[in-house]
Structure formats: C-alpha cells, structure tokens
Amino acid sequence: MMYDAVLIGAGPSGLAAAARLSHFGVRVCLLEGHSRLGGLSSWHHVKGREISSGLHAFTNYVPGGRTGPLGKLFRQLRLRPDDLDLRPQDVSSIRFPSASLVFSNNTEGIRDEVAAKFPACIDGFDRLRGRIRETDEGELTLEQSSARAVLDEYIAEPLLRDMLLCPVMFYGNPGGLTNESAAGEDQLDMDWLLFCVVWKCIFESGFAYPACGMRPLWQELAKRVTDNGGVIRLGTRVERLVVKDGRVVAARLGSGEEIEGERFFSSAGGPETDALLGEASIGRELVPGEISIAEGIRVLSGSARDDGMNDTCVFYSLSDRFRFARPDGLVDTTSGVVCAPGNYEGVDEPILKVSQLANYPAWAELDPAAYGEAKKEAGAGMAAALQKLGVTVAASDRRFGGFDDLFTPVTLRRYTGHAEGALYGSPVKTRTGATAFDNLFLMGADQGFHGIVGAMLSGVAMANLHCLAKWKQS
C-alpha cells in the first residue's frame, strides 16, 4: 500500500503529526521501534508503580489551557483541557550556594525575586525580559546566535546570569555551542532563539503535571489515528530510507519489508535520519548533541515534603559558577534537577527524580559488571547531592545507592535511538524541517522545539507546512 505520509517515531511529535494528518483524511503510517508509545516521554514501572519516563513538568501551562502554545496545541489537535487533567505546581526554585530564586506559575514571581535578591540588576532584567518577549520563537529563518552574549549585555552580575541559565539549559540545551567568557574560559553556550523558547516555557507560563501521567494522552492520540484509518506499528524499527530518482520512496524495515509513501516525516533526529539514508544525505552537516543525563528514581513511603523536598522542582548548582557541559567522569553531581511529582497539586505519585549531566562515551565503554557498579556509585552521588540540598535520602537502602531505578545515557541511546544518548538532539537545528529531499522532513527536537508541548507543536507545524498546505492545494 502507498501511504500519503510515513512517520518515523511515535514520540510526542510523531503522534501529534499523525493525529493532525489523519484527522484531515491523510493516509498515515506511524512506525515506532519500541513496544510503547511516547518515545522518551513513555512510561515504565518501578516497584509496582507506573512512572512517566523523563517527565518533570508539562511546561507552557496556563490556567484553563486556552492561550499560548498550550492553547494552540489543544486547538490544532482538538483536545480539551480535561484530556490531560493538568495539575499546577506550587513553587519551584533555583538554588546556588550564595543565593536562591523562587518561582511559580505566577509569571511575575521571578521578577519579584530578582528585584529582592539582585536589586542592582532589576532594570537590566526587565530589558532582557522585554527582548525575550519580543523574540518570535516561531521564526524559522533566524541564524544561530549566542544566548550568553545577550545575557552579558543585560545582566552585569555573573551569579545571576548563571542562575537564570541553569533551568533553561537543563530543560533544553543540546550542547555544541561555546562562548569565550571574560576570563578567557570556553563556556558551553546556548542558541539565543532556543533559549527564548525554553525561557517562555518555564518563566512566561508555568509548570503542571498530568494527574494520570502521559499514557492516557498518547493512547488517546493513537486511537484518533487508527479511528481515522491510520496505521500504527509498534516494535517496528526502520533500518533504511530508500532513495530513488532523488526522492525518498520507502522506509525499509529490519525484516526487509518496505513501507512506501509520498512524504516522510522523521523524529529520529538529524544525524540519525542522515544515517538512515546511507550514501545519500539530508543536506546539512549534523553532529550528535553532547548533553545527556543520568536519572535516579526513588519510590517514597510518604510525601516528599516529609524528607525535606518542599518544592516541585529544584534546579541546583553546588558552585556559584554554573558549569553545563559533558562531565569528564561518568556523572557530574555538582548540578542537576530534582523533581517531586507528588508536590504538584492533587498528584498521587510519591516518587523523587534526580537528573544530573552524564558522559555517554564513558558509560558506553563499561562492561556489564562495571556498568552495574557504576549505577550504584551514581545513585550514591545523587543521594549525597540531595543531602547538601537538605533532602534526606539514605544512600544504602535501595538498589542503586539510595534509588530504586536509575537510567543512564546508554538507556537513552537504547530507547530513543539518539546517537551519544543525546537528550535534546543535535545542536544544529533545521527549523523549517526541510532536507535535501523535497519529500523528507524533520520534526521534534532537531526541528528546534523542545519539551512535550514543543515537540507536539513541532509535529503539528511540520504536518501543516509540508503536507496539509500542499494537500489542500492539490
């Protein structure tokens, strides 16, 4: 059978694109290498509890879900706020040794904190915030530029600059861009447009959490695809994109079966899609992202607040100079993100998640015995970092040094297919989604949007731009 659109990857962008296309009668086939929907944002079980994998926060939250990116997503996919049952955060924080900033879903809260803690910087902060608000993150033609350079222009205090960068980098920086500091050090930088995307996700809207996790949303979107005649094939890994006469004509599976289509959308990633083409190329020099993480999960006997974790999320650095780069060792315990889903309003998920930067090549070279021991050591390091933040976690009473489960960059590589276990894909984004082939398009992280809402909007935008607009004209 010839499909109108073949989509690779049933993560947020693939599911959103397939649902959008099938609603308008486009014949779609969605291929996923794993047995579950959701990609990195899937689900798994720890000690009998269902855990939404990788989920700290559903960003872009606004009460009612009628405005902003979330409202746009609801309209495009014909979703209702009740379909997600999002529960808002109480309060989150950025903690450094010399200062802390508290923020919530009150978007003026971060300004009030800066005014109180860094009064000499508030005018520059207001100008920075104005520039961020004026920047159109949907602009597809802007070239890559330095976020650090812009922050240097508006914020004179290095501590405040690093504190503002900390959550934004942890929630969206793929790495690969450097900027020389005033001290002559190369610091990992971030693309300015991407910085604006993530800033608005965190500070210009808010955090929420789906009361029943991500599984119901993915299953609802999948049902819509199949109800509209689309096909979803799980456990079906694409081995090659077949090219003939300058066009992609089929996706070849590991079994040798070929799925033919008029258009192809890939959320596998830029470098990964390039590899699927064999001797052909998508037309850009792409490299894998260098940022990956290790994450520990602890199932709690009670509330996280009982153990000293009162915030919904904590973005921390144990040094006033925040260093965001692939660590030399297996894990960098000096900074990270701590999340307590049970601290969202009305969410019954008594777990604690700790995410820290990790080194994929170092993890990948370990033999099985050493790998198991390294996970225990990584968990103990996470527990030690929590102790410094005032959160009580015994490092010896769980399987992985205080944690019941712990995934590494190797896990990310296995379940996402991203080279180097890259959390946010390649540093080179293809904002239009276009490639050297007029019927092959990228969506998801390497198109340029991040987070669950961003990835879903990427799928919708690429479906609209590269299929529905032309579909309606024909």
Side-chain angles (χ1 to χ4, degrees):
M1 177 179 178
M2 171 72 74
Y3 292 96
D4 299 315
V6 177
L7 303 97
I8 301 173
S13 59
L15 282 165
R20 176 74 175 166
L21 292 172
S22 64
H23 177 81
F24 288 96
V26 178
R27 292 170 298 176
V28 303
C29 181
L30 178 59
L31 305 172
E32 169 57 49
H34 293 286
S35 59
R36 288 180 180 169
L37 303 166
L40 180 60
S41 301
S42 186
W43 66 90
H44 66 291
H45 291 85
V46 180
K47 296 184 73 172
R49 297 199 68 93
E50 183 171 303
I51 307 294
S52 291
S53 307
L55 178 64
H56 289 175
F58 203 98
T59 59
N60 299 97
Y61 173 77
V62 290
R66 304 294 183 186
T67 59
L70 187 58
K72 180 178 180 180
L73 183 66
F74 283 157
R75 291 190 295 274
Q76 291 283 303
L77 294 177
R78 276 97 174 154
L79 290 170
R80 303 167 302 160
D82 288 349
D83 291 326
L84 275 77
D85 192 11
L86 291 173
R87 306 300 180 87
Q89 71 167 333
D90 181 11
V91 66
S92 292
S93 64
I94 308 165
R95 299 191 200 175
F96 280 46
S98 297
S100 294
L101 296 173
V102 174
F103 65 95
S104 67
N105 289 358
N106 171 10
T107 57
E108 292 305 309
I110 187 65
R111 185 196 182 277
D112 295 341
E113 282 286 284
V114 171
K117 308 288 180 60
F118 297 92
C121 297
I122 190 59
D123 289 342
F125 178 83
D126 285 340
R127 292 195 300 273
L128 170 68
R129 200 174 178 199
R131 181 164 171 178
I132 292 170
R133 288 174 167 176
E134 292 168 1
T135 300
D136 179 8
E137 66 270 27
E139 173 56 57
L140 301 179
T141 60
L142 291 180
E143 294 297 320
Q144 191 176 66
S145 60
S146 166
R148 280 192 181 272
V150 177
L151 263 68
D152 288 350
E153 180 181 344
Y154 291 96
I155 306 294
E157 171 55 56
L159 174 59
L160 178 57
R161 289 200 301 266
D162 280 6
M163 293 183 76
L164 296 177
L165 280 166
C166 179
V168 179
M169 285 192 165
F170 265 111
Y171 273 7
N173 190 5
L177 182 65
T178 59
N179 175 278
E180 187 174 307
S181 69
E185 303 169 326
D186 278 340
Q187 297 178 316
L188 196 63
D189 204 347
M190 187 172 183
D191 174 52
W192 166 246
L193 192 64
L194 186 53
F195 176 91
C196 291
V197 169
V198 184
W199 175 283
K200 291 177 182 179
C201 289
I202 298 172
F203 295 123
E204 301 298 333
S205 50
F207 288 176
Y209 200 92
C212 297
M214 293 307 303
R215 193 215 293 226
L217 175 60
W218 302 147
Q219 291 178 330
E220 171 63 23
L221 291 178
K223 183 177 184 299
R224 294 186 184 194
V225 173
T226 55
D227 284 352
N228 286 320
V231 173
I232 299 176
R233 295 180 59 174
L234 302 178
T236 306
R237 188 173 298 278
V238 176
E239 297 289 342
R240 179 72 66 193
L241 288 173
V242 182
V243 177
K244 183 177 181 181
D245 298 329
R247 287 174 60 84
V248 179
V249 296
R252 182 180 298 153
L253 310 181
S255 64
E257 179 187 359
E258 293 187 355
I259 309 297
E260 297 180 330
E262 291 290 342
R263 296 178 179 85
F264 293 79
F265 294 83
S266 175
S267 63
E272 295 79 5
T273 303
D274 204 51
L276 292 176
L277 289 164
E279 295 182 359
S281 171
I282 65 173
R284 300 191 68 179
E285 183 178 351
L286 298 176
V287 295
E290 62 182 37
I291 294 303
S292 192
I293 62 168
E295 181 168 280
I297 299 172
R298 181 181 176 93
V299 178
L300 305 173
S301 58
S303 167
R305 299 180 194 276
D306 296 337
D307 294 326
M309 176 67 180
N310 296 311
D311 294 344
T312 305
C313 293
V314 173
F315 302 86
Y316 78 89
S317 173
L318 300 180
S319 167
D320 281 340
R321 296 317 313 270
F322 172 57
R323 181 180 182 272
F324 189 87
R326 174 184 283 175
D328 296 328
L330 291 169
V331 177
D332 180 1
T333 64
T334 64
S335 65
V337 187
V338 186
C339 176
N343 287 355
Y344 284 93
E345 181 181 300
V347 172
D348 179 23
E349 196 162 325
I351 64 170
L352 199 64
K353 294 185 178 183
V354 181
S355 305
Q356 297 174 340
L357 296 173
N359 183 331
Y360 173 82
W363 282 97
E365 68 182 16
L366 297 175
D367 62 43
Y371 183 78
E373 288 302 313
K375 290 178 73 170
K376 293 178 183 177
E377 292 177 12
M382 291 175 180
L386 286 177
Q387 296 281 6
K388 294 177 181 178
L389 295 171
V391 181
T392 304
V393 174
S396 59
D397 66 342
R398 302 296 170 102
R399 183 180 178 191
F400 298 110
F403 293 85
D404 300 296
D405 194 17
L406 192 145
F407 73 75
T408 75
V410 175
T411 318
L412 284 173
R413 177 75 175 89
R414 183 183 308 124
Y415 287 101
T416 67
H418 288 172
E420 302 284 301
L423 182 62
Y424 298 119
S426 171
V428 181
K429 305 302 181 186
T430 306
R431 292 187 175 122
T432 64
T435 70
F437 300 90
D438 65 5
N439 69 332
L440 172 63
F441 313 101
L442 300 182
M443 58 184 176
D446 282 1
Q447 182 271 322
F449 290 170
H450 285 308
I452 294 172
V453 173
M456 293 176 73
L457 282 173
S458 170
V460 167
M462 295 302 98
N464 288 344
L465 179 63
H466 297 299
C467 189
L468 292 181
K470 299 170 185 177
W471 182 269
K472 293 175 182 178
Q473 292 171 2
S474 61

